[in-house]
Amino acid sequence: MSKRLRVGIVGGNAQRGWARDAHIPALKHLKDDFELEAVSARTQTIADEAQAIFGAKRAYADSIALAQDPNIDIVSVTVKVPEHRAVVLAALNAGKHVYCEWPLGRDLAESKEMTSAIGPNSQVMIGLQGLSAPAIRQAAALVASGSLGSLKLMRVFSATAGWGAEASPNHAYLQDKRNGATLETITGGHTLAAMEALAGAYVEVDARNTTLRKHVRIQGSADVVQRSCADHMLVTGQHASGCVSTLEVAGGVIDRSFSLELVGENGWLKISGGHPGGYQVGLLNLETSFPSEPLTPLVATGLDGPPLNVAEHYMRFAKDIRSGAQSVPDFDVAMRLTQLLDTIDLAATKGQRHRL
């Protein structure tokens, strides 16, 4: 067995958060390949609690210090998007491998700065874990093999329970577009990444981004915040393959499931999933109009929900680090996706079609 990769989690909190819900259970399930070396949080008290409950060796109140820890191989950045830049740059400057949650930065300038900082000894992965889901990977392989023939049309509906009429106190910052973590970037970005993985890069887009609920009540209080980001997206476009696509992204939806249908000259494939956190969070199903191989087994059988595809992502990253390959989505993919989202926003703002 290869030496286990030592992981430091930036954003360790035993009471809440994506690290607790997704990263920690994924790493524990993959204990033959990874070990949790350290955690950091905004206070030493929170970090110490996370260390005790998660089983880490060390706890930091300073995330930069964790990023510079010589005993860490991979720095996993799971804090809020505005905090990504400083930690990622520190980790890359220290020669670490980096797993950064999506979105990479608040804007394209931050994403470019972080991408430019990658040194020859560091490998990076962006947290678009839906791209590691077996259903997405097998669908992409079927497209690449020519099983569908020439691609014609893709129809996608992508929903999330987030960005509804209410938000938890911890999600109040998601309503402010300036923070870079919005319905467009998170639910929209994850979905657009899958669409490009199947139908190729967008070459032209038209869009309408709408804020249907302009005021959001904060749960457990009388506070109301203004929403400056969209909570509904409509995107039409054409891909490099010639395929045309339609996408609806809907916030505040819990009674409709994710659905993707891709039609080619030789048949169709359909991907479906029902997790309220978005398509990238849970198990996905793949159907085809023609005989196809069963889905590749999950690397972490027995997991469900948030850790499921994160575990798939970690295992692919480990293989890349050990082999020197680059099969996982990296920061270049993150920059491409950020540029796509900027173009969609521009098309929606200007009310006209734009080319990429």
Side-chain angles (χ1 to χ4, degrees), residues 2 17 29-30 35 55 73 92 97 115 123 129 134-135 150 191 223 229 247 255 266 272 281 306 308 313 329 334:
S2 301
H29 217 82
L30 303 172
E35 58 183 312
D73 301 308
L92 291 173
H97 306 300
T115 303
Q123 289 196 240
Q129 71 271 15
S150 175
T191 309
D223 295 342
C229 66
L247 166 64
D255 58 352
N266 296 337
S272 59
V281 178
L308 188 67
H313 226 34

Side-chain angles (χ1 to χ4, degrees), residues 25-204:
L27 290 169
K28 285 185 176 179
H29 217 82
L30 303 172
K31 60 183 181 296
D32 289 341
D33 288 276
F34 299 93
E35 58 183 312
L36 183 59
E37 188 72 21
V39 293
S40 69
R42 68 178 183 274
T43 70
Q44 193 65 50
T45 300
I46 296 173
D48 288 343
E49 181 186 33
Q51 177 191 4
I53 292 176
F54 297 155
K57 296 179 181 177
R58 288 180 300 289
Y60 290 94
D62 181 354
S63 296
I64 303 301
L66 179 146
Q68 296 169 337
D69 186 332
N71 294 307
I72 289 174
D73 301 308
I74 301 172
V75 176
S76 293
V77 183
T78 73
V79 287
K80 293 178 179 179
V81 176
E83 300 170 33
H84 285 188
R85 174 184 171 276
V87 182
V88 169
L89 290 176
L92 291 173
N93 189 52
K96 308 297 185 183
H97 306 300
V98 177
Y99 178 164
C100 183
E101 281 298 338
W102 166 260
L104 177 56
R106 287 179 293 183
D107 52 32
L108 185 58
E110 285 192 354
S111 298
K112 285 182 176 178
E113 183 182 9
M114 286 180 269
T115 303
S116 298
I118 301 170
N121 298 320
S122 296
Q123 289 196 240
V124 299
M125 179 170 70
I126 190 68
L128 294 166
Q129 71 271 15
L131 297 182
S132 288
I136 297 294
R137 295 179 64 197
Q138 182 159 330
L142 289 171
V143 171
S145 72
S147 296
L148 275 75
S150 175
L151 301 182
K152 302 299 183 184
L153 174 65
M154 179 186 285
R155 306 181 187 92
V156 183
F157 176 79
S158 188
T160 176
W163 293 279
E166 299 180 347
S168 70
N170 297 322
H171 289 167
Y173 93 107
L174 299 176
Q175 317 309 316
D176 188 340
K177 188 172 184 175
R178 293 171 297 181
N179 289 324
T182 64
L183 175 97
E184 298 110 302
T185 61
I186 297 177
T187 309
H190 278 288
T191 309
L192 289 162
M195 293 174 69
E196 288 206 321
L198 298 179
Y202 277 92
V203 294
E204 189 175 78

Side-chain angles (χ1 to χ4, degrees), residues 206-244:
D206 201 353
R208 181 180 291 273
N209 293 348
T210 308
T211 307
L212 300 177
R213 309 170 189 87
K214 298 184 184 299
H215 298 93
V216 184
R217 188 178 73 82
I218 301 304
Q219 296 167 352
S221 74
D223 295 342
V224 174
V225 299
Q226 184 149 344
R227 177 174 287 153
S228 59
C229 66
D231 49 30
H232 189 268
M233 298 175 69
L234 291 171
V235 182
T236 59
Q238 185 172 29
H239 299 258
S241 62
C243 182
V244 295

